[in-house]
Amino acid sequence: MSLNVVLSVVVCTHNRADDALECLRVLHEQIDYATSEVILVDSASSPVQQQHLQSGVADLERPVYVRLEEAGLSLARNSGLAQCKGEWIAFVDDDAVPDPNWYEKLLLVLRKAPGDWGAIGGRIVPIFPVSGSPNLEPRWKRYLSINDTVGSRDCTAKFELIAANSCFRRAALDAVSGFPTELGRSKASLLSGEDVLVMWRIRRLGWKIWYDGSFCVGHKIPRERLTKRWVRARAYWEGISAIRMARLLDDRVRVGFVLKAALATPVLAVLSILMPKGNEWDLRFWYDLGVVIESFGFGPKSSGA
């Protein structure tokens, strides 16, 4: 590892070249390449998208381009991690737009970070495709990777970090072998939880997790993610992700967790009929349904199913 590289910024993308290059250009205007680096991981984008990415990266000159022939978010993050030279690794989603002072603010946080901080989550504000802010339930906002709270606080006990705008100490990620490829978006599924599993694992090793709202990104929200059909599917996959994560953690409390979901599902099913779609009760029903189906072996056989 090069001692003079403090921060490595990794952007992973799959078939969103325009968004990824916008993110890269905003970062490029801020980054001091004497102490930091930017790595774009192309996660098996189509040939047309690949060419667009390569051309855009070549125009900027300094970012590093990495091409993968197999898609998968965790795989892409791990590939980016393998290329990094920094003590800290920041991950920014390809559809995120960092604030103009994102880099400066993050470096200020890193300079004061104690040696036991393993991860730091930043603020994420939505960029909606329509004028005004739609009235979304808290669970719906969470599924959109929105965390627009301000301030700075220890969130080791209750995670607030969202990987769309996050920074991990390299030593902490190495200690848990990076992101689990059994979780994370792949193909057409909405499987998630890879960042949460990493936090569980580094917490068990004694690392602390912090939230700091000073370094912020805007996160583009596609129009389809404001539909009730999408958010119900997202809640269902969140339940599947929770059980797969518990298995990987060998979590013994899973039995009680599943039993609670099984008992609640019939009641929530009634409430989901009576309440508007996308309501908290409705989304809790779809989440618990995913928990139950996956627990009893009826879930999809792979993340891409």
Side-chain angles (χ1 to χ4, degrees):
M1 180 180 298
S2 176
L3 296 178
N4 64 342
V5 177
V6 176
L7 177 64
S8 300
V9 185
V10 177
V11 178
C12 301
T13 188
H14 173 71
N15 285 336
R16 288 200 296 218
D18 286 338
D19 286 337
L21 290 175
E22 180 183 2
C23 179
L24 243 61
R25 284 190 289 267
V26 173
L27 288 171
H28 183 70
E29 293 173 356
Q30 307 177 36
I31 294 291
D32 177 5
Y33 287 101
T35 58
S36 303
E37 62 181 354
V38 179
I39 297 169
L40 176 70
V41 182
D42 177 1
S43 181
S45 295
S46 70
V48 171
Q49 293 277 306
Q50 177 186 4
Q51 184 177 15
H52 188 18
L53 288 169
Q54 290 175 323
S55 176
V57 171
D59 288 342
L60 295 175
E61 295 184 353
R62 298 303 295 270
V64 176
Y65 173 83
V66 177
R67 167 73 180 182
L68 300 181
E69 297 303 330
E70 180 182 353
L73 182 53
S74 288
L75 181 63
R77 285 178 175 153
N78 289 340
S79 297
L81 175 62
Q83 296 286 329
C84 291
K85 302 180 182 69
E87 177 188 357
W88 289 92
I89 317 298
F91 293 94
V92 180
D93 273 10
D94 60 352
D95 56 355
V97 182
D99 277 1
N101 61 2
W102 177 90
Y103 176 71
E104 175 187 357
K105 293 293 186 180
L106 177 55
L107 283 187
L108 288 175
V109 175
L110 298 183
R111 290 191 184 111
K112 69 180 182 182
D116 61 352
W117 283 17
I120 309 166
R123 189 172 178 225
I124 304 171
V125 298
I127 302 175
F128 290 114
V130 293
S131 59
S133 300
N135 185 22
L136 302 176
E137 298 281 354
R139 187 180 291 261
W140 196 329
K141 290 178 66 176
R142 190 165 70 248
Y143 290 155
L144 291 173
S145 297
I146 296 172
N147 186 353
D148 55 2
T149 59
V150 297
S152 177
R153 52 194 169 270
D154 188 329
C155 64
T156 308
K158 186 177 181 181
F159 304 145
E160 293 187 58
L161 179 152
I162 297 174
N165 182 26
S166 60
C167 194
F168 291 83
R169 195 182 292 271
R170 175 64 181 263
L173 281 180
D174 285 346
V176 298
S177 301
F179 292 89
T181 54
E182 301 93 333
L183 297 173
R185 301 293 171 85
S186 180
K187 299 182 181 178
S189 86
L190 294 176
L191 193 68
S192 57
E194 74 288 350
D195 50 346
V196 179
L197 183 59
V198 165
M199 287 187 281
W200 273 104
R201 285 175 169 170
I202 67 174
R203 188 174 80 174
R204 287 181 173 182
L205 294 177
W207 296 98
K208 290 186 178 179
I209 301 163
W210 204 260
Y211 175 82
D212 194 301
S214 64
F215 66 101
C216 178
V217 303
H219 194 212
K220 299 174 187 175
I221 308 298
R223 193 176 300 273
E224 64 269 16
R225 295 189 184 183
L226 298 177
T227 64
K228 293 168 183 177
R229 178 178 181 180
W230 180 88
V231 75
R232 282 178 148 194
R234 177 68 178 82
Y236 173 75
W237 275 98
E238 185 74 4
I240 292 172
S241 302
I243 294 302
R244 294 192 182 184
M245 181 169 56
R247 288 181 185 138
L248 291 170
L249 287 168
D250 192 24
D251 196 338
R252 295 181 181 179
V253 303
R254 190 171 74 242
V255 174
F257 174 57
V258 173
L259 180 60
K260 181 180 178 181
L263 293 174
T265 298
V267 176
L268 292 170
V270 175
L271 289 174
S272 72
I273 294 172
L274 299 176
M275 298 288 183
K277 294 179 180 179
N279 175 275
E280 290 288 299
W281 293 110
D282 178 50
L283 297 183
R284 178 59 189 269
F285 162 71
W286 285 98
Y287 171 85
D288 281 358
L289 183 63
V291 166
V292 172
I293 286 178
E294 178 66 20
S295 299
F296 289 98
F298 297 108
K301 300 303 179 185
S302 67
S303 64

